[in-house]
Amino acid sequence: MTAPDATSPAGPGTAPTSWRDSLAVYLQPRVLIVLFLGFASGLPLALSGSTLLVWMRESGVDLKTIGLFALVGTPYTLKFLWAPLVDAMHVPLFTRAFGRRRGWLLFSQLLLIAAILLLALTDPARSPFYVALGALLVATASSTQDIVVDAFRVESLPESEQAAGMASYVAAYRIGMLVSTAGALFIVSGFESTGITRTSAWMWGYVVMAAMVLIGTITALVATEPEQSLRAEAATQTQTALARVLHAAIGAFSEFLTRKDALAALAFVVLFKFTDAFSGTMTAPFVIDLGFSRNDYAAIVKGVGLAATLIGGFAGGFVARRYSLATSLWIGGVVQALANLSFSWLAFVGTSQWALAFAITCENFTSAIGTVIFVAYLSALCQNPLHTATQYALLTALAAVGRTYLSSGAGFVADTTGWPLFFVICMLVAIPSLVLLAWLQKRGHFDALGPVRV
């Protein structure tokens, strides 16, 4: 999944009247359930992404092959294809025992545990194909879980708790990512310090990550089926599964394509975060190649990076509230592109922890600003309550195209140009999205969406 970074406000008149009320809403059982599900959603992403890339680079896999591994994120791009199935189909035994949403949630989590364990048994140095297959299975199970969690969150929280629920979800999602990046790397280092081989250390590190998925499984067992899901299930009992799937899929796609400048808007969705995706694919190999240790990567890139991301999220929220949507997108698009130059500078500085911390802070802070504003834009595009889940899955899948397909050649570019010039190119690839932004703004696209709040 592209990681979520924005919150939606409660409706008029629902804002808490005191700081005690503001704090109490975060302790509501429904909000706490969403918090733990956010952790479950954030945990698997890096296991088929940046953490896996560190494992591969340490195993001696070349940069070109590592770049191509961005393709294992394909399920995050195509998840909209089976989002209607998750909405309409029942999982044998699971749906009857746990309900429509919880059944799918538990089913996807069990698949995820199995996929992570399979990936743990592979060896990047000997069998890159089986590593890719295992990573692909992890991404498929993870993206399916994301579809279910998004629907569960929206359906289970009343309007007065939506903002707190989304804020909790975002924070826990980031913590889950931190656990599967910095946490996983520290765990691998710990296993390696006991004297076992590096391959075995990585295997046991992934086994621990598979066990962490059980946090989400326990949460799903404790949770109750959302009332909205129960009503939807009752309302569609007379329809066949095929009819429900077709209604969800056709309605969502046709509603998009009939809008003015629909194709340009969808192209903008694909390209806006491409500058981040292109550089992000090579960040882990870049840091390792400069001579930083695995623990440096864990502590600085993921530890300092998390703090910068959270602060950048608040900054992005301020920008989105202060300026119009189009102006906010301009600010986010420009700063996230310029931040790539900090890595070009780092390539000349070399192995300096302070320089790495500065570059990572710049990149994560500006990326979070762009992501918050971008998520606000995606939310504004989903205006039909009949198709919100499928449409949002479509948009987030399109947003993952840059990370999955367009960035797959990043390793070839880095290998050809060298690191300083590579990150300059990462900045330049933002230009097409800014050109589309100017064209859509001139066509009145953003004005037609109405006021947007984060």
Side-chain angles (χ1 to χ4, degrees):
M1 173 195 121
T2 309
D5 293 88
T7 61
S8 302
T14 62
T17 56
S18 71
W19 69 269
R20 292 180 185 274
D21 294 329
S22 300
L23 178 62
V25 72
Y26 287 93
L27 301 178
Q28 293 296 317
R30 291 179 295 258
V31 175
L32 292 176
I33 290 293
V34 167
L35 182 145
F36 284 106
L37 290 179
F39 176 86
S41 288
L43 183 72
L45 184 62
L47 298 180
S48 61
S50 59
T51 300
L52 179 61
L53 299 184
V54 174
W55 184 8
M56 294 178 67
R57 192 54 175 164
E58 287 191 350
S59 300
V61 180
D62 63 88
L63 289 178
K64 296 178 181 179
T65 302
I66 289 176
L68 289 174
F69 260 70
L71 295 173
V72 303
T74 294
Y76 293 105
T77 306
L78 300 180
K79 65 181 181 180
F80 67 92
L81 293 178
W82 67 89
L85 298 178
V86 174
D87 265 334
M89 300 291 288
H90 295 165
V91 182
L93 300 179
F94 285 85
T95 300
R96 180 182 296 273
F98 302 105
R100 177 166 164 256
R101 296 303 185 196
R102 293 170 66 230
W104 266 104
L105 191 54
L106 289 165
F107 178 66
S108 64
Q109 288 167 345
L110 292 179
L111 290 179
L112 182 58
I113 291 172
I116 295 173
L117 291 176
L118 286 174
L119 182 57
L121 297 175
T122 61
D123 183 353
R126 296 182 178 181
S127 54
F129 171 79
Y130 290 108
V131 174
L133 180 60
L136 186 64
L137 293 174
V138 170
T140 301
S142 174
S143 57
T144 302
Q145 179 187 233
D146 288 348
I147 294 171
V148 187
V149 170
D150 284 337
F152 185 94
R153 182 184 70 247
V154 172
E155 293 175 353
S156 64
L157 296 176
E159 186 178 7
S160 60
E161 297 175 5
Q162 283 286 345
M166 189 60 185
S168 299
Y169 176 85
V170 168
Y173 189 100
R174 289 292 179 178
I175 292 172
M177 289 183 64
L178 181 65
V179 168
S180 62
T181 49
L185 296 180
F186 281 126
I187 289 171
V188 171
S189 295
F191 279 123
E192 200 171 9
S193 68
T194 64
I196 66 175
T197 65
R198 175 172 294 177
T199 300
S200 296
W202 275 104
M203 180 194 72
W204 285 111
Y206 267 70
V207 169
V208 172
M209 291 299 105
M212 297 291 286
V213 178
L214 292 174
I215 293 175
T217 305
I218 295 171
T219 302
L221 290 171
V222 172
T224 56
E225 187 72 5
E227 289 293 331
Q228 290 188 37
S229 178
L230 293 172
R231 291 195 296 267
E233 182 72 9
T236 58
Q237 279 184 345
T238 59
Q239 296 181 2
T240 64
L242 179 60
R244 293 196 301 267
V245 171
L246 291 176
H247 183 268
I250 296 174
F253 299 146
S254 62
E255 197 273 336
F256 253 123
L257 296 177
T258 55
R259 294 182 185 180
K260 178 184 176 184
D261 302 323
L263 295 180
L266 294 178
F268 177 71
V269 168
V270 172
L271 294 174
F272 183 76
K273 297 295 292 181
F274 179 40
T275 180
D276 275 352
F278 201 70
S279 61
T281 300
M282 289 289 107
T283 299
F286 168 62
V287 172
I288 298 299
D289 276 6
L290 281 186
F292 291 99
S293 69
R294 185 193 304 139
N295 287 347
D296 288 334
Y297 179 85
I300 298 176
V301 175
K302 296 306 178 181
V304 175
L306 174 66
T309 296
L310 295 177
I311 296 171
F314 283 109
F318 172 79
V319 169
R321 287 191 295 269
R322 177 67 176 82
Y323 301 102
S324 68
L325 179 58
T327 302
S328 299
L329 286 167
W330 274 109
I331 294 172
V334 170
V335 298
Q336 68 183 10
L338 292 176
N340 286 299
L341 296 180
S342 65
F343 285 117
S344 292
W345 169 76
L346 177 61
F348 288 110
V349 172
T351 311
S352 165
Q353 293 184 336
W354 288 106
L356 176 61
F358 175 78
I360 290 299
T361 298
C362 290
E363 195 277 334
N364 283 29
F365 179 77
T366 57
S367 176
I369 292 176
T371 300
V372 167
I373 297 165
F374 185 55
V375 170
Y377 171 63
L378 296 184
S379 301
L381 289 176
C382 300
Q383 296 179 341
N384 190 329
L386 295 176
H387 315 303
T388 300
T390 302
Q391 285 183 341
Y392 198 82
L394 169 64
L395 291 173
T396 53
L398 285 174
V401 167
R403 182 178 72 242
T404 304
Y405 295 112
L406 301 182
S407 62
S408 62
F412 291 91
V413 176
D415 188 61
T416 302
T417 64
W419 291 120
L421 182 56
F422 170 74
F423 288 107
V424 173
I425 294 172
C426 290
M427 178 192 68
L428 296 178
V429 299
I431 293 176
S433 69
L434 298 179
V435 172
L436 274 173
L437 175 57
W439 191 82
L440 288 169
Q441 186 177 12
K442 183 177 180 181
R443 296 273 294 178
H445 170 73
F446 302 103
D447 294 334
L449 296 177
V452 177
R453 296 178 62 195
V454 176

